[in-house]
Amino acid sequence: MQVSKTVTAWAGAAAVISLALAGTAKADALSELATAAAKGPEVLWYESSKESQIDKVIAAFNKKYPNVKVKHIRVVGGNKMAGRVVQEVQGRGYTADLVSSGAAQTWALNDRNYLLKTDWSKLGVPKRVTPTDFAVAIAASVYVILVNTKKVPAEEQPKSWDDLTKKKWMGRIGGWVRAGAHTQMSKVWGQDKAEAELRKFVALKPFLFKSTFPMAQQVAAGEVDVAIGFFHTAQPPISAGAPLKRIALDPAPMHTIYTAVTKSARNKAGATLFLSWLVTSTGAKAYEDATNRGSHLLEGTRTHALVKEAKTAEYPAEETGTYRKVAKKFNKILSSAGAAR
Amino acid sequence: MNASASVATDGPLYRGDDLKVRWKQRLLSVMPSASLGALLVWLVIVPLVLILISSFKPTGFPMDTGWTIDNYIRTYADAEFWALVLNTIQFAVGSMVVALTIGTIVAWLVERTDMPMRGVVRVLVILPMATPPVLMAIGWVMLLSPRTGFFNDLLQGLFGLSEAPINIFSLPGMIFVEGLALVPSTFLILSPAFRNMDPSLEEAAFTSGAGLLTTIRKVFLPLLWPSIVAAGVFLLIVGFLVFDIPGTIGMPVGIFVLSSQVVYLANDSPTGLPEYGIISAMAIFFLVLVISLAWAHQRQTRRQTSFVTITGKGWRVRPLPLGRWRWIAFGFICFYFLLAVVAPVGILIWSSLTPYQAGVSAEMLGKLTLANHLDFFSNRRAVSASINSVVIALVASTAVALLSFLVSWVVVRSKLPGRKFIDVLSFLPIAIPGTLIGVGLIYVYLTLNFIPIYGSIWIIIVAYTTNYLSFGSRATHGVMLQMHSDLEEAARTSGAGWFRTTRRIVAPLAFPAIAAVWIWVFAHCMRELTSALLLKGADNTTLPVLLWGYWTGGEPNKAAAVGVWLVIAMLLCVVAWQILAARSRSASGREAA
């Protein structure tokens, strides 16, 4: 018993020491990165949020690292962003230091060997946000039900996937013109059930919107009464006082947003430092507060709270190829919504 | 006397068989078309070659390895593509018919009749051009949507209808809005042609007892044919490529056109990269279409003398008295304005004052706010974007106006070698989707980094100059075709060289068309989005990109506020243009006197 106590005490001490050492090592690594980053040029970041939103994120970063300059360029559309990266690398040999996009784009860039591999654990980045060594999950776009509270009384509001396919929504429901939600749901439901649910949705003659931000506005305006949209896209009209409400889905489909450091980055240290900071509790909060897109993987964010009780539906990054195939098939089915009209 | 000779007569006239002199003469004679051709090759052929290469690349990226014809097979063997072509043809032809019909009537009423308030109409008619199409489309949704549309609510309330009488979410709805949106362009192409038409022809027709319809059929239409064909071809191609209105009105109910597919392939393809290979293969279809139309246009206008109405004989435009039709015509114009200007601009103003997107209702009156406008003026990025937009628009519109004039002179007025090639070159850019022009330019200026314009406003200026040259050259072609060669020959006989003849005779006569091109390009540069978005760097953000940012960021009301100020800027610009044109006319009058 005495031995056991001694062993336990030693083991505890060893754990504390190794944690302290790891902490010291992490602090050293970050400190070295910060020193190197401050000597480099400004970190160029391609990301899709508004400049005014990202200004706040960069300001929060500069509170901790005032000597590392970050410049954000808004590039809307993940595919176009990836296309631009390819062209810049091919044309002049370098592109942005940091690129934030979806799994399909990030993996496509990695297939071209454009992304830098990093040992993120040395920098204290949680394993759950680094499914791979070339990308870090910084946030997620989570699908929710959007409801116009003036048009749909509380007792009639849909609360589940089953509610959404009821006939009463015929001609009153909206969705994104891409079948992203149903594609991700196929990971949980299986392809057959997801396809059957998608066909039920199509039979309701939904209004399909090119972008989910305007869709949220159209729900607010009463053009459609309910829609399957993203949590963050509903925030602007809600903040402006629109009669719009979000209802969580269970399972909740989502698209994770990844950020990667490029191999051609001109300030690799700065880019790595910034990305490590972005997934700290301070960085994640700053990003979520600014853009309304938070990380479902990091505790303390609103997005984590939104989905922690629900099952999430998303193809893991390594199954991006399967996602692409299902998405292609489902997009085609969704485009037949016009023929049903 | 041909044009090559006219170039040579600016200097001493060389004679004799001296080889050097003859070579110099020959060189001088081809210099104008060669330099213009070289510039156009740079602007047009370089991106086109990249598109062609892209269409044969497995990934669509021109600098990737491997070659394939798979993009063509995937595009043209797909029944869906041809279904989209059919939809697109209906949409494009319908929009063209609406725009040509209304545009021709408005241009005739403004330029050739004594309809009241023609000056005001001339200013206001092109205002819708300043409204970004996506805002115009969403405005029409707010006016004519079956669920929340203002006009539908009004009609249902007035007539006690149980269902909305109009559904904007339909092919006719798309055609109606696109047709209205294209009327200003039609007006700007046809207006100079109407203005330059010798009134003695219509007077002779009326004197001979011909009625209005006979005069239109036998005098107006034949004389205006080059301009009408030019406008028709232009409108048809625009209808094939435009996305904003089909995307906003057609897409929600599943009416897809070719441009919807281009946007899908560029932005939403699940591969994670834009499918430039397929887009390029589709662009080849547009190119063939445009070349065919350009060829048809050339055949139609081959007998140039048939369209000549500007001769050495002096004349003054005497407005056709409409009599009792005068106020009916004015009523027609008012109705058009209600549809094309008052309603969409009114809804734009309404949207700019609401905190979130909401239909017109008494309930929202209490929530109206100036916050969106105040945000626009207090935002440093908005100021910088405004400056960028104005500089880009000024430089690009001037470049296009000058180039269009030169292209039309070479193609229509001269006998210079290579003029047909220049004609086709100047028309081809219309077939290239804005996305692909952007992609081509990125490669060109990233590779040729000794021309450091990537990421600056200059790369956008190059894109716009290329893009809008098609419209500019079509508009100036029509007027050049109307001028009789006697005018230039008389000037040269009197000892004037090419430059003087051009400055004193050709340019003033073509001025209405050149000015129309300038204003059209200016307005379109102020609202163009596709290329500006693709070529965006850190410091070259334009107003439409800012507006798009608001739109895609869920702040359509801020976008509407930007739209309102774009319309106001355009109004000021058009008023200034009219004042300058009036002064120029009175100065010419005094000089002539």
Side-chain angles (χ1 to χ4, degrees):
Chain A
M1 195 66 178
Q2 186 62 36
V3 173
S4 175
K5 271 187 180 174
T6 310
V7 169
T8 309
W10 274 109
V16 170
I17 290 165
S18 60
L19 273 174
L21 284 173
T24 312
K26 175 195 152 192
D28 287 347
L30 287 174
S31 171
E32 277 172 30
L33 268 183
T35 309
K39 289 177 189 160
E42 62 187 0
V43 176
L44 191 62
W45 182 22
Y46 286 172
E47 200 265 359
S48 64
S49 304
K50 285 193 300 179
E51 289 91 344
S52 56
Q53 293 176 331
I54 297 301
D55 284 350
K56 294 174 191 162
V57 180
I58 294 172
F61 171 72
N62 284 144
K63 273 187 188 166
K64 180 151 187 168
Y65 300 104
N67 298 322
V68 183
K69 302 291 170 225
V70 179
K71 187 166 192 171
H72 167 253
I73 294 189
R74 185 182 196 202
V75 185
V76 179
N79 284 7
K80 276 192 179 169
M81 187 191 294
R84 182 181 177 134
V85 168
V86 172
Q87 284 192 284
E88 287 180 343
V89 171
Q90 290 181 337
R92 68 178 178 192
Y94 67 89
T95 180
D97 298 325
L98 281 169
V99 181
S100 294
S101 199
Q105 293 79 22
T106 308
W107 262 251
L109 292 178
N110 185 60
D111 290 345
R112 287 173 173 262
N113 203 22
Y114 287 176
L115 304 181
L116 189 72
K117 292 174 173 51
T118 304
D119 183 354
W120 294 103
S121 62
K122 280 189 180 168
L123 300 168
V125 175
K127 181 69 189 152
R128 59 187 178 280
V129 297
T130 53
T132 170
D133 53 2
F134 59 81
V136 176
I138 62 160
S141 299
V142 182
Y143 288 94
V144 290
I145 301 170
L146 304 178
V147 184
N148 183 308
T149 51
K150 267 189 168 174
K151 299 263 183 179
V152 188
E155 63 277 12
E156 285 184 27
Q157 290 169 4
K159 291 173 182 63
S160 66
W161 282 102
D162 286 341
D163 287 349
L164 278 174
T165 49
K166 286 182 177 163
K167 282 192 175 164
K168 66 177 177 181
W169 302 123
M170 176 82 80
R172 298 168 63 194
I173 195 166
W176 191 17
V177 77
R178 305 299 161 225
H182 286 87
T183 304
Q184 297 291 28
M185 285 305 293
S186 71
K187 182 63 193 168
V188 174
W189 284 339
Q191 278 192 42
D192 290 343
K193 184 181 175 190
E195 185 178 330
E197 290 294 318
L198 177 62
R199 289 190 188 280
K200 281 188 208 166
F201 179 67
V202 167
L204 294 174
K205 300 181 178 175
F207 273 66
L208 302 176
F209 296 89
K210 167 80 188 77
S211 169
T212 52
F213 274 106
M215 180 172 74
Q217 291 281 351
Q218 294 286 37
V219 180
E223 194 54 53
V224 286
D225 297 341
V226 298
I228 304 172
F230 286 124
F231 178 85
H232 66 282
T233 60
Q235 193 57 50
I238 288 174
S239 300
L244 187 64
K245 182 180 170 186
R246 292 176 287 213
I247 297 170
L249 278 163
D250 189 9
M254 64 168 65
H255 299 277
T256 298
I257 299 153
Y258 294 92
T259 299
V261 181
T262 61
K263 273 189 177 169
S264 62
R266 285 175 299 167
N267 189 346
K268 290 187 180 70
T272 309
L273 181 74
F274 182 75
L275 187 47
S276 313
W277 173 84
L278 208 51
V279 285
T280 60
S281 55
T282 318
K285 187 174 182 313
Y287 189 78
E288 186 175 53
D289 287 349
T291 65
N292 294 306
R293 284 194 302 199
S295 173
H296 58 296
L297 300 169
L298 295 170
E299 284 181 22
T301 62
R302 280 179 283 137
T303 308
H304 181 266
L306 176 78
V307 298
K308 72 177 177 188
E309 300 297 329
K311 190 172 184 180
T312 55
E314 185 183 26
Y315 278 90
E318 60 272 18
E319 290 182 39
T320 300
T322 313
Y323 170 82
R324 287 175 186 161
K325 278 183 199 156
V326 180
K328 193 173 179 184
K329 182 182 179 189
F330 281 17
N331 283 344
K332 205 160 186 108
I333 294 171
L334 190 59
S335 70
S336 70
R341 190 160 291 280
Chain B
M1 185 190 287
N2 66 25
S4 51
S6 78
V7 174
T9 52
D10 257 356
L13 192 63
Y14 297 102
R15 292 191 185 279
D17 55 359
D18 182 343
L19 201 62
K20 268 189 177 175
V21 173
R22 277 193 311 200
W23 269 105
K24 197 177 173 186
Q25 257 188 320
R26 192 168 290 177
L27 201 64
L28 273 174
S29 71
V30 298
M31 193 63 87
S33 56
S35 352
L36 194 60
L39 183 64
L40 290 180
V41 163
W42 176 252
L43 286 174
V44 180
I45 294 294
V46 172
L48 272 183
V49 167
L50 282 166
I51 288 167
L52 201 62
I53 294 172
S54 161
S55 72
F56 288 107
K57 288 286 179 179
T59 60
F61 288 93
M63 291 169 90
D64 275 352
T65 53
W67 296 92
T68 181
I69 55 163
D70 193 44
N71 294 322
Y72 286 92
I73 295 170
R74 281 174 64 194
T75 303
Y76 297 108
D78 185 356
E80 194 184 336
F81 172 79
W82 296 107
L84 288 177
V85 169
L86 193 65
N87 272 358
T88 313
I89 288 173
Q90 292 178 56
F91 170 69
V93 171
S95 311
M96 180 195 72
V97 170
V98 171
L100 260 186
T101 308
I102 300 176
T104 308
I105 293 172
V106 175
W108 176 68
L109 288 173
V110 168
E111 300 297 344
R112 307 299 299 191
T113 72
D114 65 346
M115 186 188 69
M117 300 176 75
R118 285 177 299 146
V120 178
V121 173
R122 191 181 283 127
V123 171
L124 294 181
V125 75
I126 56 179
L127 270 193
M129 229 162 49
T131 315
V134 69
L135 289 184
M136 182 177 260
I138 203 73
W140 276 104
V141 167
M142 289 172 75
L143 289 167
L144 288 177
S145 143
R147 299 201 76 207
T148 56
F150 173 70
F151 283 144
N152 274 324
D153 282 351
L154 199 68
L155 291 171
Q156 278 181 281
L158 281 176
F159 301 106
L161 304 170
S162 59
E163 281 190 3
I166 307 166
N167 182 6
I168 192 73
F169 294 112
S170 59
L171 190 61
M174 288 160 60
I175 289 171
F176 166 73
V177 177
E178 184 64 32
L180 279 185
L182 289 173
V183 166
S185 299
T186 317
F187 175 84
L188 283 177
I189 296 178
L190 295 181
S191 169
F194 269 113
R195 204 176 306 166
N196 286 337
M197 218 164 56
D198 186 345
S200 62
L201 299 164
E202 63 197 79
E203 280 164 16
F206 285 128
T207 313
S208 315
L212 183 61
L213 286 178
T214 311
T215 309
I216 288 172
R217 195 164 50 86
K218 296 210 165 172
V219 178
F220 285 151
L221 285 181
L223 288 174
L224 291 168
W225 195 237
S227 296
I228 290 175
V229 171
V233 167
F234 173 80
L235 297 172
L236 206 56
I237 299 293
V238 170
F240 260 87
L241 293 172
V242 72
F243 171 73
D244 306 82
I245 288 165
T248 310
I249 298 174
M251 195 180 266
V253 290
I255 302 170
F256 294 99
V257 292
L258 280 174
S259 60
S260 321
Q261 189 67 1
V262 169
V263 169
Y264 169 72
L265 292 166
N267 297 312
D268 303 315
S269 155
T271 58
L273 286 167
E275 297 209 45
Y276 288 143
I278 305 276
I279 300 175
S280 299
M282 283 170 71
I284 301 300
F285 173 80
F286 293 129
L287 281 175
V288 171
L289 188 76
V290 165
I291 291 169
S292 312
L293 288 170
W295 176 76
H297 182 224
Q298 273 185 353
R299 275 181 65 89
Q300 284 287 332
T301 55
R302 199 168 41 187
R303 290 178 300 111
Q304 297 186 6
T305 50
S306 312
F307 312 111
V308 170
T309 65
I310 306 173
T311 62
K313 199 175 74 173
W315 48 264
R316 275 189 62 177
V317 174
R318 280 183 298 277
L320 179 76
L322 290 175
R324 63 195 168 91
W325 290 93
R326 199 165 169 252
W327 289 102
I328 295 172
F330 186 66
F332 167 78
I333 291 287
C334 286
F335 183 64
Y336 163 72
F337 270 119
L338 177 73
L339 290 180
V341 183
V342 179
V345 174
I347 206 79
L348 196 65
I349 294 170
W350 171 264
S351 291
S352 74
L353 296 172
T354 55
Y356 54 88
Q357 199 167 326
V360 182
S361 66
E363 185 200 335
M364 285 304 291
L365 283 174
K367 294 182 181 172
L368 298 187
T369 169
L370 283 172
N372 300 316
H373 293 270
L374 295 174
D375 181 82
F376 176 67
F377 284 105
S378 59
N379 183 344
R380 68 180 166 83
R381 287 196 173 91
V383 175
S384 152
S386 304
I387 294 168
N388 284 344
S389 281
V390 170
V391 172
I392 289 169
L394 281 173
V395 178
S397 55
T398 307
V400 171
L402 274 175
L403 269 177
S404 301
F405 174 73
L406 289 174
V407 165
S408 290
W409 184 83
V410 167
V411 172
V412 179
R413 311 297 303 169
S414 80
K415 298 279 184 282
L416 291 170
R419 60 188 186 282
K420 281 189 179 172
F421 178 62
I422 285 174
D423 190 25
V424 173
L425 272 188
S426 68
F427 196 39
L428 279 184
I430 200 176
I432 313 173
T435 301
L436 286 180
I437 287 196
V439 170
L441 290 179
I442 288 175
Y443 269 118
V444 172
Y445 293 104
L446 277 174
T447 312
L448 306 175
N449 47 20
F450 57 87
I451 309 172
I453 64 170
Y454 180 70
S456 73
I457 59 169
W458 294 101
I459 195 165
I460 300 178
I461 289 169
V462 171
Y464 288 175
T465 306
T466 309
N467 216 0
Y468 296 136
L469 186 60
S470 318
F471 171 85
S473 55
R474 290 316 98 177
T476 45
H477 270 26
V479 168
M480 290 281 189
L481 280 166
Q482 288 182 318
M483 286 183 214
H484 200 288
S485 59
D486 282 357
L487 296 161
E488 284 161 279
E489 284 178 18
R492 282 195 288 269
T493 309
S494 313
W498 174 83
F499 182 74
R500 199 166 175 208
T501 307
T502 304
R503 189 171 63 84
R504 298 293 301 273
I505 307 283
V506 183
L509 287 171
F511 180 75
I514 296 169
V517 167
W518 192 93
I519 203 85
W520 187 93
V521 177
F522 186 89
H524 281 72
C525 289
M526 288 295 285
R527 72 177 210 191
E528 201 279 342
L529 177 70
T530 311
S531 304
L533 209 53
L534 205 66
L535 298 170
K536 182 179 175 293
D539 307 308
N540 65 354
T541 301
T542 60
L543 269 183
V545 170
L546 184 83
L547 183 150
W548 181 249
Y550 286 139
W551 176 254
T552 53
E555 297 173 304
N557 314 93
K558 285 185 181 171
V562 179
V564 168
W565 290 105
L566 272 174
V567 171
I568 291 171
M570 192 64 205
L571 178 65
L572 293 175
C573 184
V574 174
V575 169
W577 168 49
Q578 287 298 316
I579 293 169
L580 282 175
R583 279 188 187 168
S584 159
R585 276 196 294 271
S586 64
S588 310
R590 280 198 302 275
E591 203 173 314

